[in-house]
Each structure stands twice: as structure tokens, then as C-alpha cells.
């Protein structure tokens, strides 16, 4: 089942196309560097988990305008034949440096830098910002769930309420990077090789004359995997019924799922019933409107696995990030803007990571690299070609797990965290100060720098 | 530029597939009715705007499993040859009744009801809930912006921070239904015939030696459409420069855009500068982190158009809805569940709308229709086939505008609104009470109904 896809050369904002057409008319083909970063962390975020790069690289590699897209730009946007010829030939031929997926990052640190002829780098802004902002939001929310419930299996249950099915796919992947053990969303499980998870809903129970009939039917149809959903009518009665059905079939009871009510209390009472019936190995799973705060509250409850849905999948308390894709260099000249509250730092950059507890160091790309520190941005695309095959989710997940061990407790806190400090190299500070002064002078403005 | 699409028969949760396989094995092919509704409105929502139906119908019409999808289900999920044969033949052959897009609805009212053999109706749950929940959230958020700024043009600027590009497409469409005048997102403008909007970003200004050079270049390249972005360095200086460039070219000045700072004050001062320069027709556009509350605060400012981005596109304060897709009837038998806080009302339903100020009437579908009221749910698909061609966005927008005039002021309020009351018909009340009592008795529970 395939339908027309949403990804096309027109997956961009109109102003990108107008600007690109203007650059091309004027022969402005000098390289531009754009830096993608998050200006400020949302409330209660002490870190971010980088995600979205894989989709960015797919997009860049495929980027072009089809004939019918060009004809739309001619008819409706009013581009002329020369513009269309130039756009028709345009491919992404630039370089991408990026922080690999799964790494922990902080505000002000570039997640990705694009260096390409300015029209190319401009046209892809919308898609790159979109993929990185959204997937980093969700990976971060999922990481917070992981921190709140370090010993339980977390399963992505979000597909039914993400922002579209493409989002459901991205959420399954981003949460897997951040340590989730599986997903209910089959298309993503298949595409990314993730464990798929799920047995029955309330509707299944209701379609049978009673709960016992439903449990029995399911256990017959799927022996050895059944997790019984026990709260359709009365939760503890449901647990008793699951026990009777499993015992009647002389089978192990794999598990039960609680989806409503006081989960901690119901889990304790269910655990007792299961243990008394000799089903000490039966797992208890809980679901229903959970997020990292509720997971933390449930940390003492005997719950082995959680289904985490909507709040993770839309990153409910911070469904977006204050991200930006800013021109930092054009034709080998560093640039910045002075808009109130939106001042940017000029030049292509590198982030140098130290030992746990050390502040991050943000430098210009061509600064001398400090010893004993790890640079976070790596070249991932050159001349429009990926340098590596798309990586397995497992690789990004291991990166996340390494960084999570590195991350100081203060930054991991679910409420009022303190992110790791990001310091600027002397050279970056100097360039920013000089450029701000030069711009303000040229514009006849007061230089408001400190 | 086409890439593999995300839409497939596996765009569902695993439990739907297991349940469907079990129903099919057992010959459970009786019709089931599932009702899709929102349990409770989010804080500060006095109404919802129905959206997402078009994607639901596309999905249902195309729904099937490909050979390679079946082979995944065989290998990884462990379905047997009979299951695969049954799933391979499965198409959606049912009936869909729905509230048309653009209509105003309230909590507890079905937005959509599916009646089909239970396996079919079950398998499509995830996608239908996803489309309706997300798009209704966004259409509602956009409608609140429309209410807050009734006289300005609102333009969707959200594409860069929606949850993926499929979401950007849906946001452009949903906001157009709720009265937005255009979108920056070109792919959606083209697909839905919406006005595309956008001229320049800060990067364009920065790529030139100075602001004047950038403004002049753009005005030469796109005469008669230029909206100058004036806040890259100093906003009022930027306005003066836009005036000089337009005057120097003896052209009309189409408009300026403010993207930072105190928008109300800058708009007033910009208006004065433009008027004094003889550009009384030049429009002022504002953008930058706006939502309905800031639009309301800016209602006295001389701003003609707003670019509304992230907060609308992710419905920032309510990025999801407490939606449900519940079995209400199976094999002509009404069903309900008793889970704490998640009690559902049995039976297929209809919503009857009265005059402004009258409460809504929720009835069973086969209740006698009250006179002088309009039924909201219409049959839109029968035997798996759409009854009408996909409708133009304009049709849904007119529906929204009609309902907005009908909507009482109390429900339109941006903060602490009072939704229109939804009353239940005597027959629906009776059926719910009887069924709850019967279930409780059968389960040996105390009947906790009033």
C-alpha cells in the first residue's frame, strides 16, 4: 500500500525559493554556512538528545525539483524560464557536519552545520529544522522517561496520537534511540528492526460474551505471548480471571496490563494475586497517559514494563524547541544578526566535550582543538554524498547510553535541572565582539555589547 | 522527488493485528461499530473544529496488506498461513458516518463512526485516531487565532517546526479550514490550492554587504510583491531603508515584516514612518512566536497580517486531545466498558444541533430525530467507497465560518470558556443505565451508577 509521498522539492517555505532564485540570478554561488542549534532549553530540560539527522541526510541526498514542481513555480509563484532552468539543475552538493544521533547536547551548541552554495543551503532550511527540532524534542522526552524508570522496559505506544503517521514512525525511532525497548507501531518496528509489542485492547474483551471467553480465546490463538488486559470491567477481578484462564490451560501466565485507576496500588494487589497463584514470573505492565513524572511516582510499584504513549509522542510539555538555522558565514565572511533577543554567534563552530562535570567548550571550527576533549560535530556528508551508510538505531542508542552515564546528575533532574555550562573559546568571543561592533558602527547604531 | 511513503497496511499498532487475526480465525465477522470522540476538552478550549476526515477516507479506501508486509507478519509476529491469507484478502468494506470537516464539535460527541466487520474496524483504529486527533487539535488552535484577530490576514508559518513534513502539510490544510488566508509551505499550497506566501529571511539580508543592497536586489528581482524584513539589525532603521529603496525605485511599497521586539510599539512607529513617506497602503506584517493570546494583546496595533508558526502548528498548549475510538456495538448488541474514568456510552449515535444558545442533543442513531435540529453526522463512505469526491478546503472553511457565527460567546472565549452543553436523549440515558446495571450484575460488581 503506497500513496503519493509528502516529500518533494516543494517541501520548503516559499521565501526559501524566492531567495534561492534571487541568489541564482545574481550569480551568488559562494559557499554559505548555516548552523542549526537550539537557542534556549525548554523549562525542565537539562539536556537534549540529538535526533533527526538520518532524515536530513535522506532529504539532502534526494533533493531536486521535478518538472511539474517547476511548472507550479512558473504558474503560481511567477519564476521565469532562467530561474526554472537553474532550479531544475540544482542538487545539494554541499558538506554537512553534525552531532551524531543519540548524543546529549545543550543550548547554543550546533546540532548540524551545512556548508554549500547559498541557494542550496537556503532551500533545505525548512526540512532540516523540522526533522531535527521534532525528533530531538521527542528523543529528549523519551530519555527523561528512561531516566525516571531505569529498570523497567519502556514501550512506545504513541502512534495513535502523534502528529500524523510519519510522526509515529519518527517517534518509534527517536524513543528507541533514547533507550525504549520496543514499539506498538508495526510499520516502524519493521523498518527499524525494533521489537513490536502488543496483544489486546478493551474492544477485544467487549466483542466476546464475557471477559473469561475473551481471555480464553486469545490464549488459545496466541499461546505463550498473552499479556491480558485486565481493567475492562473490574481490575482485580480481571487479574483473577487471567489467573484462572492460564491455570486452566496449565500454561505460564506471561503478563497482565493495567490501563486505568491507581496503578501503584493495583500493581501491588495484582502482584500479590499473581504470586499467590504461583505466577511469580508473570510480568505487570502499566499504561494510560504516562509521562516521566508519573513514572517517577511509580518507581516503587512492582511494575515491570510501561506503555508510554501520547505525552512522550508529542513531547506534551515541550512539543517544540526554540531552534534556529542561522547563516553564520557567507563567502568566507562571518555574519550575524542583531535582532533583539535573537543575536547569533558568527562563524562555523565545533563543540569540545570534556570529562563529566567539565563545562562544554564552543569554539570556531578552525580554532586549535584543545587536548583531552572530544569534538562532537563530525563530517557526515561531502559533495552531497553521505560518508557512511545509514546507521542502525542500535548504534545511536549506545551513543545515548554512553552520554547518559557522562551526564551530571544536576542536568538529569526531571524538575529544575541545571544544564552543563557552555563556554566560548577566546577566539569565538573575540570574533563575536568585533563583528557586533563593526555592524553597529556600520549601521550607525549604539553598540550594546557588554 | 518521491521517496517511499510511510503509509502501509502496517501503519497500525500490533495489538490491532493480533486481535484482527483472532477475530478472523474465529469467524467473528459480525458488524462492529466504533465511535471516535474526545472525552474531555483541554484547558481553555470551549469547542473543537473537526478535521482529519479526508485523510481517514483516503486511508480506508487504500487499506490492504502487501505481500512483503504479510511476510513480515509471518516471520516476526508469527501469524500462520491461514491468518496471512485472510489478512491478504482484507479490504475496508464498511460504512463511515462523520461530522464533516470544519464543523464545531464538543466533548462526548462522535466525530466519526465506523461500522464494519470487526477485524476491519479494529485494524484502522490507530490511523483514524491519529488523523482526527492531530488535525482537530490544530484546526482548533488555528480557529482560536482566527477569533483573536478577526480582521487580520493570518498566514501559516509552521512548516519548520511541525512534527515532520506530513504534519506540515496537514497543518497548512487544517489552518486553512479554520480561516487562515495562506501558508508559507509550498507543497501544501500547491496540493490544496492555497495562496503561498513569503519573501525574505534574515539570511538574505546578511548575504549582502548591507541591508540597502539586499532590499534593492530583492525589489529588482521581485517587483510588486516585496515584503521587506526590517529587523535584522535595527527595526526602525530597516523601515526607513525599505522606504528609501521603494521611493528610489518610484514603486509602491507592498509591505514590511516585523519579526522581533515590541511588535505593538514597532508597528505603531513603522505605520507613522510609512504614512509620512506616502506609503499609506503599505501593509505591516508581524511574526515571531505568536499564538492566540499574543494576537489578542496585539488587537489594537496597526498590524494587517500575522505569520503564525510553531505554537499553532504543534498546538503548543494542547498538542493532543483525550480522544478515544471505542467499540459501542458488536453484532447488533450495544457494548460499553466500566474502567474507572473511562466509561463509554453504548450504541451508534447522532448529534442534533439546535439554534444558537441551545444545548446539543446526543442520541442513539435510531432515536426519532427531533424537529428543528440539524444532525451533524453524515454518511460519507458505504461499502468501503466514498460517497463524494474529496472536497475542496474552501467548502470546509465555509462550514467553519457558519459554525463560528453560531458559536456562543461563552464558548469562544480564549480563557475559561464554557462549552455548549451536551444533553443525552432519554433513550440513550436508559440504554446506558440498563447496560451498566446488567454488566455490573453479570460481573458480580456493585453498580456504581447514580
Amino acid at each position: 500500500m503506497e500513496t503519493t509521498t509528502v516529500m518533494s522539492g516543494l517541501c520548503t517555505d516559499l521565501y526559501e525559493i524566492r531567495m534561492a532564485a534571487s541568489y541564482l540570478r545574481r550569480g551568488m554561488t559562494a559557499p554559505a554556512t548555516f548552523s542549526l542549534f537550539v537557542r534556549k532549553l525548554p523549562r525542565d530540560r537539562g539536556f537534549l538528545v540529538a535526533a533527526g539527522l538520518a532524515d536530513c541526510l535522506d532529504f539532502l541526498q534526494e533533493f531536486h525539483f521535478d518538472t511539474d514542481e517547476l511548472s507550479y513555480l512558473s504558474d503560481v509563484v511567477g519564476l521565469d524560464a532562467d530561474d526554472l532552468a537553474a532550479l531544475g539543475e540544482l542538487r545539494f552538493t554541499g558538506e554537512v557536519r553534525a552531532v551524531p544521533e543519540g548524543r546529549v547536547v545543550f543550548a547554543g551548541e550546533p546540532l548540524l552545520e551545512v556548508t554549500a552554495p547559498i541557494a542550496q543551503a537556503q532551500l533545505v532550511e525548512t526540512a532540516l529544522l523540522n526533522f531535527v527540532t521534532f525528533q530531538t524534542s521527542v528523543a529528549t522526552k523519551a530519555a527523561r522517561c528512561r531516566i525516571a524508570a531505569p529498570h523497567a522496559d519502556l514501550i512506545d505506544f504513541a502512534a495513535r496520537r502523534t502528529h500524523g503517521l510519519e510522526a509515529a514512525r519518527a517517534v518509534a525511532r527517536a524513543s528507541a534511540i533514547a533507550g525504549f525497548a520496543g514499539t506498538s507501531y508495526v510499520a516502524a518496528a519493521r523498518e527499524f528492526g525494533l521489537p513490536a509489542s502488543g496483544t489486546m485492547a478493551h474492544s477485544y474483551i467487549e466483542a466476546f460474551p464475557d471477559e473469561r471467553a475473551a481471555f480464553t480465546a486469545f490464549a488459545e490463538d496466541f499461546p505463550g505471548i498473552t499479556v491480558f488486559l485486565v481493567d475492562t470491567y473490574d481490575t482485580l477481578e480481571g487479574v483473577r480471571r487471567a489467573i484462572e484462564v492460564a491455570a486452566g490451560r496449565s500454561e505460564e501466565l506471561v503478563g497482565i496490563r493495567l490501563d486505568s485507576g491507581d496503578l501503584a496500588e493495583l500493581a501491588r494487589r495484582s502482584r500479590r494475586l499473581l504470586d499467590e497463584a504461583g505466577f511469580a514470573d508473570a510480568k505487570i505492565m502499566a499504561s494510560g497517559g504516562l509521562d516521566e513524572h508519573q513514572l517517577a511516582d511509580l518507581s516503587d510499584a512492582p511494575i515491570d514494563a510501561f506503555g508510554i504513549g501520547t505525552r512522550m509522542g508529542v513531547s506534551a510539555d515541550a512539543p517544540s524547541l526554540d531552534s534556529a538555522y542561522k547563516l553564520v558565514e557567507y563567502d568566507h565572511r562571518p555574519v550575524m544578526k542583531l535582532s533583539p533577543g535573537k543575536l547569533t554567534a558568527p562563524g562555523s563552530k565545533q563543540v569540545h566535550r570534556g570529562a563529566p562535570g567539565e563545562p562544554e567548550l564552543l569554539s570556531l571550527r578552525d580554532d586549535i582543538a584543545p587536548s583531552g576533549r572530544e569534538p562532537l560535530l563530525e563530517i557526515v556528508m561531502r559533495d552531497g554524498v553521505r560518508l557512511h551508510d545509514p546507521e542502525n538505531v542500535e548504534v545511536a542508542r549506545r551513543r545515548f547510553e554512553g552520554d547518559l552515564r557522562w551526564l551530571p546528575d544536576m542536568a538529569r533532574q526531571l524538575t529544575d535541572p541545571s544544564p552543563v555550562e557552555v563556554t566560548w573559546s577566546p577566539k569565538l568571543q573575540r570574533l563575536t565582539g568585533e563583528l557586533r561592533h563593526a555592524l553597529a558602527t556600520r549601521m550607525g547604531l549604539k553598540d550594546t555589547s557588554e
Side-chain angles (χ1 to χ4, degrees), chain A:
Chain A
M1 171 175 179
E2 304 270 330
T3 66
T4 45
T5 168
V6 293
M7 208 183 265
S8 93
L10 301 184
C11 289
T12 190
D13 288 306
L14 180 59
Y15 75 176
E16 318 282 16
I17 293 180
R18 289 210 195 279
M19 291 187 280
S22 179
Y23 297 140
L24 293 169
R25 280 188 195 182
R26 291 168 181 279
M28 291 171 67
T29 53
T33 299
F34 283 81
S35 188
L36 201 169
F37 60 98
V38 174
R39 290 191 188 99
K40 193 168 164 292
L41 296 183
R43 212 173 87 90
D44 284 341
R45 294 291 184 277
F47 64 92
L48 299 171
V49 177
L53 178 59
D55 283 347
C56 291
L57 298 180
D58 283 346
F59 185 88
L60 292 172
Q61 197 150 279
E62 296 295 322
F63 189 82
H64 74 276
F65 293 94
D66 283 342
T67 313
D68 57 342
E69 293 166 359
L70 293 171
S71 126
Y72 171 80
L73 293 178
S74 163
D75 297 347
V76 177
V77 181
L79 299 191
D80 68 26
D82 288 347
D83 297 331
L84 299 182
L87 288 176
E89 280 170 20
L90 187 145
R91 300 290 181 279
F92 183 78
T93 61
E95 178 195 82
V96 179
R97 296 163 63 244
V99 176
E101 292 185 296
R103 295 223 68 156
V104 162
V105 291
F106 304 95
E109 298 182 343
L111 282 146
L112 183 149
E113 290 197 346
V114 170
T115 301
I118 190 166
Q120 297 174 22
Q122 189 80 65
L123 281 167
V124 300
E125 168 176 21
T126 308
L128 300 191
L129 259 178
N130 184 307
F131 295 138
V132 172
T133 305
F134 162 46
Q135 296 181 37
T136 297
S137 302
V138 170
T140 303
K141 184 76 172 174
R144 290 164 57 80
C145 294
R146 186 67 281 178
I147 287 170
H151 306 301
D153 276 349
L154 305 183
I155 312 292
D156 159 39
F157 269 19
R160 61 192 47 213
R161 293 207 201 82
T162 57
H163 289 188
L165 294 178
E166 180 196 318
R169 166 191 181 271
V171 165
R173 185 174 177 280
S175 59
I177 289 174
F180 273 44
T183 178
S184 65
Y185 189 53
V186 188
R190 178 184 178 216
E191 179 176 355
F192 302 116
L194 307 173
S197 179
T199 54
M200 66 178 73
H202 298 108
S203 51
Y204 186 83
I205 315 285
E206 293 167 311
F208 285 80
D210 58 36
E211 200 174 41
R212 182 191 311 271
F215 285 0
T216 304
F218 202 94
E220 282 173 16
D221 284 348
F222 299 104
I225 64 148
T226 305
V227 175
F228 295 99
L229 176 61
V230 291
D231 75 330
T232 306
Y233 304 111
D234 176 273
T235 303
L236 295 174
E237 283 301 312
V239 176
R240 290 190 189 97
R241 214 140 354 237
I243 289 170
E244 286 163 23
V245 167
R249 294 173 48 81
S250 313
E251 272 183 10
E252 280 308 297
L253 203 174
V254 176
I256 61 158
R257 176 159 72 96
L258 311 170
D259 189 48
S260 56
D262 178 343
L263 295 173
E265 179 58 19
L266 290 169
R268 272 186 284 272
R269 297 175 67 176
S270 300
R271 184 74 269 161
R272 211 171 308 135
L273 291 174
L274 292 165
D275 290 349
E276 284 167 9
F279 291 123
D281 290 339
K283 305 285 187 203
I284 297 179
M285 180 174 206
S287 56
L290 299 175
D291 65 13
E292 67 272 39
H293 301 292
Q294 284 154 70
L295 288 176
D297 290 344
L298 289 169
S299 60
D300 291 336
I303 299 174
D304 305 287
F306 292 95
I308 313 287
T310 308
R311 292 186 194 204
M312 182 277 293
V314 301
S315 186
D317 64 327
S320 188
L321 295 168
D322 184 13
S323 55
Y325 178 86
K326 288 297 158 195
L327 183 65
V328 293
E329 200 170 297
Y330 178 61
D331 202 4
H332 311 288
R333 166 175 69 81
V335 302
M336 66 190 293
K337 65 173 187 168
L338 304 175
S339 320
K342 293 187 176 176
L343 188 140
T344 53
S348 179
K349 301 183 191 64
Q350 182 56 281
V351 181
H352 306 273
R353 175 152 297 168
E358 276 194 275
E360 304 269 278
L361 177 66
L362 182 68
S363 77
L364 290 166
R365 180 180 180 178
D366 58 6
D367 263 352
I368 294 157
S371 66
R373 283 178 169 260
E374 183 191 15
L376 295 195
L377 286 115
E378 300 173 5
I379 300 182
V380 291
M381 181 172 267
R382 195 177 274 142
D383 302 329
V385 179
R386 282 185 133 105
L387 297 193
H388 314 286
D389 288 337
E391 62 183 24
N392 194 290
V393 168
E394 192 53 40
V395 176
R397 186 210 303 258
R398 280 199 296 271
R399 225 176 257 132
F400 165 71
E401 283 166 359
D403 275 13
L404 193 60
R405 285 189 293 273
W406 166 88
L407 190 67
D409 284 347
M410 291 291 288
R412 292 167 56 116
Q413 276 175 214
L414 298 183
T415 49
D416 297 323
S418 298
V420 173
E421 193 193 345
V422 179
T423 58
W424 288 21
S425 77
K427 202 167 157 186
L428 176 60
Q429 289 181 43
R430 203 159 50 235
L431 177 68
T432 306
E434 285 168 7
L435 188 56
R436 184 196 282 152
H437 181 73
L439 275 174
T441 306
R442 182 140 46 100
M443 302 289 297
L445 306 176
K446 271 198 297 276
D447 180 0
T448 55
S449 60
E450 311 80 333

